[in-house]
Amino acid sequence: MTDAYIYDAIRTPRGKGRKDGSLHEVSAARLSAIALNALKDRNNLEGHAVEDVIWGNVTQVAEQGACLARTAVLASELDESIPGLAINRFCASGLEAVNLAANQVRGGAGNAYIAGGVESMSRTPMGMDGGAIAVDPSIAMDNYFVPQGISADIIATEYGFSRDEADALAVESQKRAKAAWDDKRFAKSIVPIVDQNGLPILGHDEYMRPGTDMQSLGGLKPSFKEMGEAMPGFDAVALMKYPHLERINHIHHAGNSSGIVDGAAAILVGNKEFGEAMGLKPRARIRATAKIGTDPTIMLTGPVPVTQKILSETGMSISDIDLFEVNEAFAAVVMRFMQAFNVDPSVVNVNGGSIAMGHPLGATGAMILGTLLDELERSDKETGLATLCIGSGMGAATIIERV
């Protein structure tokens, strides 16, 4: 098979996903177009330079509906001959877009793709699509459906993680994100958002709270305790699936869970011939991709089995990986990953994660892959793995190697 390479990776800053967030007036189509234009300009992508734009976004309704990928191409300065494909694998949509692009290139279906994703959570709130997994009783009851926050608390209960441990991880995420921004580690990849007059709208990750400490987090109430313990509540549903647990220990709250934000990210993927023709130097080879389905109740354990799968398929071991990006959807997700593989926390989410900077659902997978690549280069490491948990019980992973 043909090797697939990453030639460039960019992202927008993350804006608070509320009406008073800086990106609230910027639609998902415009955020996407800004990301696409940045890749076009940085890499001189004229004409039909890429085969397709594969674009992840989760809440595919209203202005994020109607094949947002194609809308984004038409809203951008890319040639109209380039089509667009919108995909949804929940929180891993952005990573899955890159994986699909890489596997198309590896299989010979085109020399290059732009892949990534977007989410405007301030304008198109999560859950607007009314998916059957949550609202159709015949499906939800048969699969013991509970909201993701309850799932995160089940992980904490099942694997013995305390509130203090979760809060400590959250504090560390904030510290690392601040250090990364102070050290300008994201400078290579951030595309500031400006208005039509070129005036700045947002140039940094707006959600961060660098002053967070254990004391401030200690005052927050668990976010999912009431919905879990109400009668009848979701805890009762979970305990039918996990009867060996006496009760669910609710440890997650707004401070140790991912933030609701807006943002977009894009990655340029191509084969060797594309790079040579365009005069571009590859930054990394996409060595392997993987996806898997998992228990839909506990839901968020996917990073563990999908990492086991990708390592098995490549003949690698966990010690062969230098750096990890494990999406901080909830603190327990990352703690479970580190516990399962006995991974040193110092090589996981080195520059902070979604607890500190936010989780723009459809974009996050591409964002963390770009962050992983930047950090491999900065720290002169060779191999990295990016992985995300996924709603309704799935996992996705990608291994990259520096060129």
Side-chain angles (χ1 to χ4, degrees):
M1 295 181 70
T2 301
D3 282 333
Y5 299 96
I6 295 176
Y7 284 94
D8 202 4
I10 62 93
R11 73 169 177 93
T12 70
R14 297 162 165 106
K16 292 179 182 178
R18 304 193 303 247
K19 290 184 178 180
D20 62 350
S22 294
L23 298 182
H24 174 64
E25 298 301 324
V26 185
S27 70
R30 174 148 171 72
L31 282 174
S32 302
I34 289 169
L36 297 179
N37 287 341
L39 277 191
K40 175 184 181 296
D41 293 344
R42 285 164 53 132
N43 299 281
N44 299 313
L45 302 178
E46 300 297 335
H48 194 82
V50 299
E51 188 73 18
D52 203 354
V53 170
I54 305 179
W55 211 239
N57 75 285
V58 174
T59 308
Q60 297 190 5
V61 296
E63 61 186 22
Q64 287 192 168
C67 190
L68 180 57
R70 177 58 176 167
T71 304
V73 171
L74 295 176
S76 76
E77 297 169 2
L78 289 176
D79 194 276
E80 67 178 16
S81 66
I82 299 171
L85 171 65
I87 67 160
N88 181 5
R89 201 187 289 279
F90 294 142
C91 298
S93 296
L95 187 68
E96 187 62 32
V98 177
N99 290 352
L100 285 172
N103 290 327
Q104 292 282 84
V105 169
R106 293 167 76 188
N111 289 333
Y113 288 73
I114 293 175
V118 69
E119 207 77 31
S120 177
M121 301 181 77
S122 66
R123 297 172 64 93
T124 311
M126 182 170 50
M128 273 186 65
D129 49 354
I133 186 64
V135 303
D136 184 336
S138 66
I139 298 174
M141 292 175 67
D142 287 348
N143 289 281
Y144 299 92
F145 171 82
V146 298
Q148 287 191 14
I150 302 291
S151 299
D153 288 337
I154 298 172
I155 294 174
T157 307
E158 177 76 2
Y159 295 101
F161 304 131
S162 69
R163 165 77 180 255
D164 282 350
E165 289 174 311
D167 286 357
L169 186 146
V171 170
E172 183 64 20
S173 181
Q174 296 284 351
K175 288 180 178 178
R176 292 183 182 189
K178 182 182 186 303
W181 271 101
D182 289 348
D183 200 31
K184 297 181 170 55
R185 297 181 191 176
F186 301 129
K188 180 189 295 186
S189 301
I190 290 289
V191 177
I193 305 298
V194 299
D195 66 16
Q196 294 179 340
N197 298 313
L199 298 175
I201 296 176
L202 186 65
H204 63 281
D205 289 325
E206 184 179 35
Y207 184 79
M208 291 166 53
R209 292 156 294 179
T212 299
D213 56 25
M214 293 294 288
Q215 288 70 34
S216 61
L217 293 184
L220 299 177
K221 294 182 179 180
S223 296
F224 311 103
K225 183 179 176 68
E226 287 188 11
M227 71 168 68
E229 295 182 351
M231 295 301 293
F234 287 109
D235 282 9
V237 175
L239 292 172
M240 284 192 288
K241 187 73 170 287
Y242 297 95
H244 61 283
L245 301 177
E246 292 185 8
R247 63 181 182 84
I248 306 301
N249 183 22
H250 293 284
I251 71 165
H252 289 94
H253 50 75
N256 59 26
S257 306
S258 56
I260 294 173
V261 295
D262 305 332
I267 293 179
L268 179 60
V269 178
N271 58 22
K272 183 179 179 181
E273 290 72 22
F274 167 78
E276 291 174 345
M278 299 295 294
L280 300 174
K281 182 179 179 180
R283 296 173 60 189
R285 179 170 74 98
I286 298 176
R287 176 162 179 172
T289 69
K291 60 268 187 184
I292 202 166
T294 64
D295 178 351
T297 305
I298 202 167
M299 193 184 306
L300 306 175
T301 55
V304 174
V306 80
T307 296
Q308 293 168 335
K309 179 182 180 185
I310 201 170
L311 292 175
S312 175
E313 290 175 348
T314 55
M316 300 175 71
S317 67
I318 202 72
S319 62
D320 294 323
I321 308 297
D322 297 312
L323 294 173
F324 300 86
E325 284 288 325
V326 183
N327 186 39
E328 294 176 353
F330 299 89
V333 173
V334 183
M335 291 192 290
R336 173 57 189 149
F337 181 90
M338 293 189 295
Q339 179 192 63
F341 295 104
N342 194 28
V343 174
D344 189 329
S346 68
V347 296
V348 180
N349 302 343
V350 170
N351 296 306
S354 292
I355 289 174
M357 294 176 285
H359 177 19
L361 306 177
T364 304
M367 285 187 173
I368 68 171
L369 190 64
T371 297
L372 179 63
L373 175 55
D374 284 346
E375 182 59 26
L376 285 171
E377 292 174 340
R378 188 192 72 84
S379 58
D380 196 24
K381 300 291 179 60
E382 297 299 322
T383 305
L385 180 145
T387 184
L388 301 93
C389 62
I390 306 173
S392 76
M394 293 182 281
T398 305
I399 294 176
I400 62 173
E401 298 173 330
R402 281 180 61 206
V403 176

